[in-house]
Amino acid sequence: MKISTSILNAENKIKSILELNNTKTSYIHIDVMDGKFVTDTKFNTIKEISDINNNAKRKLDIHLMVENPIEYINKLDNMNIEYVTFHIEVEKNIKEIISKIKSMGYKVGISIKPNTNINKLVPYLKDIDLLLIMSVEPGKGGQEFLPNTIERIKEIKNLIIKNNYNIKVEVDGGINEKTITKLENVDIAVVGSYITKSDNYNARIDTLLE
Ligand code: DX5
Ligand code: ZN
């Protein structure tokens, strides 16, 4: 399993990035919030994201918790980004959003909230690279991992295998040294507070990878 570190709850973002450059995290997870899809507003300016991009020695894993993804995707050109992920719950223009991300040369992720029916993903699976399964309600760091996520990962994994799709599975929210041991068939774990609220990122990431 790979780790994507969420810096949402980090006190000094750039300092955190510099520290993460010396760890085994594979990606830096950036939670973009518009104050509409979720109540908070975070990382919603290009300046903030490009400062991170300029300091990070890891690829960015962008998680758009916004009502209008296209508006944000348009600003993400020329960055060291692996995945741009938006939410299936935006409902509108999903195909157009997928094409837009691809046209910018990035891999496409779709995220799903804990209570959304998994079948909503089916029409888009053939066109995407990543499924980001939320293990908390999106919007805040430091929440508790929802136990029904385990069943949802299994169902989603079955859909992928049955149809022979080449899609990575990522899980986001409440992951720590205990909850990570419950994750099977997961390619990437997004971890925030457990890493960024510690004074030794390396030790925490090594523990997660054990
Ligand atoms: C929640 C965000 C997460 C969050 C994870 O809405 O999408 O990426 O930062 O943080 P922890 O690991 O603290 O739950
Ligand atoms: Zn996230």
Side-chain angles (χ1 to χ4, degrees):
M1 203 180 323
K2 290 182 174 177
I3 302 293
S4 183
T5 305
S6 163
I7 57 164
L8 180 65
N9 271 357
E11 259 134 57
N12 181 330
K13 313 291 186 222
I14 297 299
K15 195 165 161 256
S16 286
I17 294 294
L18 298 178
E19 186 164 351
L20 286 167
N21 285 340
N22 297 315
T23 69
K24 293 195 187 110
T25 194
S26 296
Y27 305 106
I28 308 288
H29 182 90
I30 308 290
D31 292 297
V32 180
M33 304 185 180
D34 65 352
K36 290 183 249 172
F37 186 83
V38 290
T39 48
D40 281 18
T41 310
K42 293 271 161 62
F43 296 114
N44 65 335
T45 68
I46 191 62
K47 165 94 174 66
E48 280 172 292
I49 302 175
S50 83
D51 279 351
I52 292 164
N53 182 62
N54 292 337
N55 285 284
K57 290 189 187 148
R58 298 290 181 281
K59 283 195 158 184
L60 307 185
D61 169 32
I62 307 277
H63 180 191
L64 297 174
M65 284 170 270
V66 302
E67 263 177 18
N68 183 2
I70 298 272
E71 184 192 320
Y72 291 84
I73 296 162
N74 276 327
K75 300 179 194 158
L76 294 175
D77 56 336
N78 279 314
M79 293 205 199
N80 191 25
I81 293 173
E82 182 84 357
Y83 298 106
V84 177
T85 298
F86 65 98
H87 271 265
I88 191 76
E89 295 85 7
V90 298
E91 305 263 342
K92 282 177 289 174
N93 309 330
I94 308 256
K95 295 236 152 142
E96 187 193 340
I97 301 167
I98 294 173
S99 312
K100 181 75 204 175
I101 297 171
K102 286 189 178 167
S103 76
M104 300 186 67
Y106 305 136
K107 290 183 183 158
V108 181
I110 294 188
S111 182
I112 183 161
K113 299 208 278 184
N115 292 316
T116 303
N117 191 322
I118 286 166
N119 290 324
K120 291 219 165 154
L121 298 167
V122 171
Y124 311 105
L125 292 177
K126 64 179 191 344
D127 298 316
I128 66 172
D129 305 287
L130 176 84
L131 273 174
L132 172 53
I133 304 171
M134 292 307 299
S135 39
V136 297
E137 273 305 320
K140 303 229 181 303
Q143 304 181 76
E144 234 173 88
F145 185 90
L146 295 168
N148 77 330
T149 310
I150 303 301
E151 199 48 46
R152 288 169 66 79
I153 296 170
K154 271 190 206 144
E155 284 170 35
I156 287 177
K157 195 70 197 184
N158 283 342
L159 264 183
I160 296 174
I161 293 170
K162 195 174 79 193
N163 294 290
N164 228 338
Y165 293 129
N166 184 14
I167 301 177
K168 300 267 190 254
V169 172
E170 182 176 47
V171 179
D172 182 4
I175 300 179
N176 54 38
E177 89 284 16
K178 291 197 186 81
T179 50
I180 200 166
T181 62
K182 300 183 195 158
L183 301 180
E184 277 171 39
N185 290 316
V186 170
D187 301 291
I188 306 167
V190 177
V191 185
S193 319
Y194 178 73
I195 296 170
T196 62
K197 292 288 174 195
S198 116
D199 53 17
N200 188 340
Y201 289 11
N202 247 318
R204 289 278 162 117
I205 292 173
D206 287 349
T207 304
L208 292 166
L209 288 171
E210 262 166 29

